[in-house]
Amino acid sequence: MKQKRVLVIFFEGLKIFCLNIHKFLLYMAFPVLGQLLGLYMVFGITYWFSQNYQDLIVKYPALSEMSTMLICTIIAVIPGLVIFTKAFWDYLVAYVALNSMTEGYLNTGKVYDFKSHNQVALKKTFSFISLWFLFGIFTFIAVIPIFWVLGLIFFIYFILIFQVFTFENGLSPVGYFRRSFELVKGQFARTLILATILTVFCFMLLASGVSVVFDYLNLTEKLSKVFELWAYTLPIDGLERFGITPALIGEQIVKDIVFMLAAGFTLPLRSICWTLWYNNFAGEREEIPQSSKKKTSKKKTAKTFKIEKREIDPEIIRRARLEDDEY
């Protein structure tokens, strides 16, 4: 199988993303905006309680008890925590579902039936959670300054773990990392180039574009003021000598929101490109040369499935033939 070039993969992925952008943006709306809404509700309610505490205890004397006030605050923030948790979980599921959607598009020419694609992750929930747990440990270690270089190298080798999880069965959570390492091995430089292109495009260019939109709508200044007022309630007096002020915190939170929007809504593009990149190597790596069969016959290999032989659930294909507006 002839391998595609990095730029071909990127522009092919960008084409699929742009042709179905309305569907992808709708799919990612709750996972991305739900997290922001949940956090806003949690911190907003906490801020409101702190600002109106004296008035509340005058009106409701029972709230003068710290335990009662704490219980009321916890109850008040529960809705925000529920929304955030659900949105965050859906965002994690999207890492797998979007790979399945890409395969569905390549086979049928349509993006459809999001619920069925979500089931690709949910039907292997334990392995899915374990995979994210291991990836979380890896990320925690990689962000330690002395491990930055080594962490970046292994991040590139492990960049296809969610594609492996989506398309291959019979592997353990550690096996997904091992399989990704095998696929990227010998293609590290090209994989790094694709990762760099996606990083610049999604996290820099598009993030700058979102920032321009925020500035045009005058949202940057308004939101910065809101978060600045909230920051005044934080115990940061000792940090002001280091230049950390409420105004700086407010501006940084707005920048983080812009980054989160750009990163969240472009997850489909990244997943599409990495699925195409996975397709570049997966089928080829599973073929064993005739001359080496005797040498490898005694070795146990994890059960995998060739890309060319993967089949989509007939029910999903049937739904793809229906009108788009039915889903």
Side-chain angles (χ1 to χ4, degrees):
M1 181 177 67
K2 186 178 179 180
Q3 295 180 1
K4 297 180 181 180
R5 295 182 179 180
V6 172
L7 287 178
V8 172
I9 291 290
F10 172 71
F11 285 113
E12 186 176 341
L14 185 62
K15 177 183 176 182
I16 295 173
F17 177 70
C18 291
L19 289 175
N20 301 277
I21 190 170
H22 59 294
K23 296 181 180 180
F24 286 126
L25 293 182
L26 183 62
Y27 175 73
M28 296 303 302
F30 178 72
V32 176
L33 300 180
Q35 292 184 65
L36 292 175
L37 176 61
L39 291 174
Y40 179 79
M41 291 175 65
V42 170
F43 290 104
I45 290 174
T46 304
Y47 173 76
W48 183 84
F49 266 111
S50 65
Q51 292 297 107
N52 297 276
Y53 178 69
Q54 297 298 329
D55 294 335
L56 288 172
I57 61 176
V58 171
K59 191 174 182 179
Y60 305 102
L63 294 177
S64 60
E65 295 289 335
M66 184 57 66
S67 58
T68 304
M69 186 64 176
L70 182 61
I71 292 173
C72 290
T73 303
I74 292 175
I75 293 175
V77 301
I78 284 178
L81 289 174
V82 171
I83 292 174
F84 172 80
T85 303
K86 180 61 169 62
F88 183 68
W89 171 253
D90 287 353
Y91 189 80
L92 298 184
V93 170
Y95 271 81
V96 172
L98 289 167
N99 302 330
S100 181
M101 288 181 199
T102 302
E103 181 192 9
Y105 179 86
L106 295 176
N107 282 273
T108 66
K110 290 185 178 182
V111 174
Y112 55 89
D113 202 1
F114 294 163
K115 292 182 180 179
S116 294
H117 293 297
N118 289 342
Q119 290 300 316
V120 175
L122 300 179
K123 69 181 180 181
K124 298 188 290 184
T125 303
F126 178 78
S127 294
F128 181 64
I129 294 175
S130 299
L131 176 61
W132 269 110
F133 178 74
L134 292 177
F135 185 70
I137 294 176
F138 164 73
T139 303
F140 177 78
I141 296 174
V143 297
I144 300 175
I146 61 174
F147 295 121
W148 281 357
V149 175
L150 191 61
L152 174 62
I153 293 173
F154 277 101
F155 176 78
I156 298 301
Y157 278 116
F158 297 152
I159 207 161
L160 297 178
I161 55 175
F162 295 106
Q163 283 67 36
V164 175
F165 176 89
T166 304
F167 301 126
E168 302 188 17
N169 297 318
L171 297 176
S172 66
V174 175
Y176 299 127
F177 286 85
R178 184 182 300 113
R179 174 64 171 154
S180 176
F181 187 92
E182 293 172 353
L183 291 171
V184 177
K185 186 178 180 181
Q187 302 293 337
F188 180 87
R190 297 175 67 203
T191 304
L192 177 60
I193 292 172
L194 180 57
T196 302
I197 293 174
L198 289 172
T199 298
V200 172
F201 185 79
C202 296
F203 302 144
M204 296 181 183
L205 294 180
L206 291 185
S208 298
V210 175
S211 181
V212 169
V213 173
F214 268 51
D215 291 340
Y216 177 77
L217 297 176
N218 201 27
L219 291 175
T220 302
E221 183 178 353
K222 291 181 179 179
L223 290 176
S224 295
K225 292 295 183 181
V226 171
F227 293 119
E228 180 181 348
L229 290 175
W230 171 77
Y232 274 111
T233 64
L234 301 176
I236 60 171
D237 294 340
L239 299 177
E240 290 187 358
R241 57 181 177 177
F242 299 107
I244 301 177
T245 63
L248 179 64
I249 293 175
E251 293 174 0
Q252 186 59 48
I253 291 177
V254 174
K255 290 180 181 179
D256 291 341
I257 291 175
V258 168
F259 180 84
M260 184 176 178
L261 290 173
F265 282 110
T266 56
L267 176 61
L269 172 60
R270 300 195 299 278
S271 295
I272 292 168
C273 289
W274 290 123
T275 298
L276 296 174
W277 194 244
Y278 169 87
N279 289 352
N280 234 7
F281 311 121
E284 179 181 283
R285 295 297 176 89
E286 288 169 1
E287 296 176 1
I288 302 176
Q290 295 290 333
S291 60
S292 62
K293 281 187 176 180
K294 292 183 180 180
K295 296 181 181 179
T296 60
S297 60
K298 294 183 180 180
K299 296 182 179 179
K300 295 182 179 180
T301 57
K303 182 181 179 181
T304 56
F305 298 90
K306 293 185 179 181
I307 299 300
E308 294 80 8
K309 294 185 178 181
R310 285 203 312 271
E311 297 180 357
I312 300 178
D313 187 339
E315 176 62 15
I316 299 180
I317 295 179
R318 182 190 69 79
R319 296 180 184 183
R321 296 193 179 101
L322 300 177
E323 294 297 328
D324 290 345
D325 58 4
E326 293 186 24
Y327 294 94

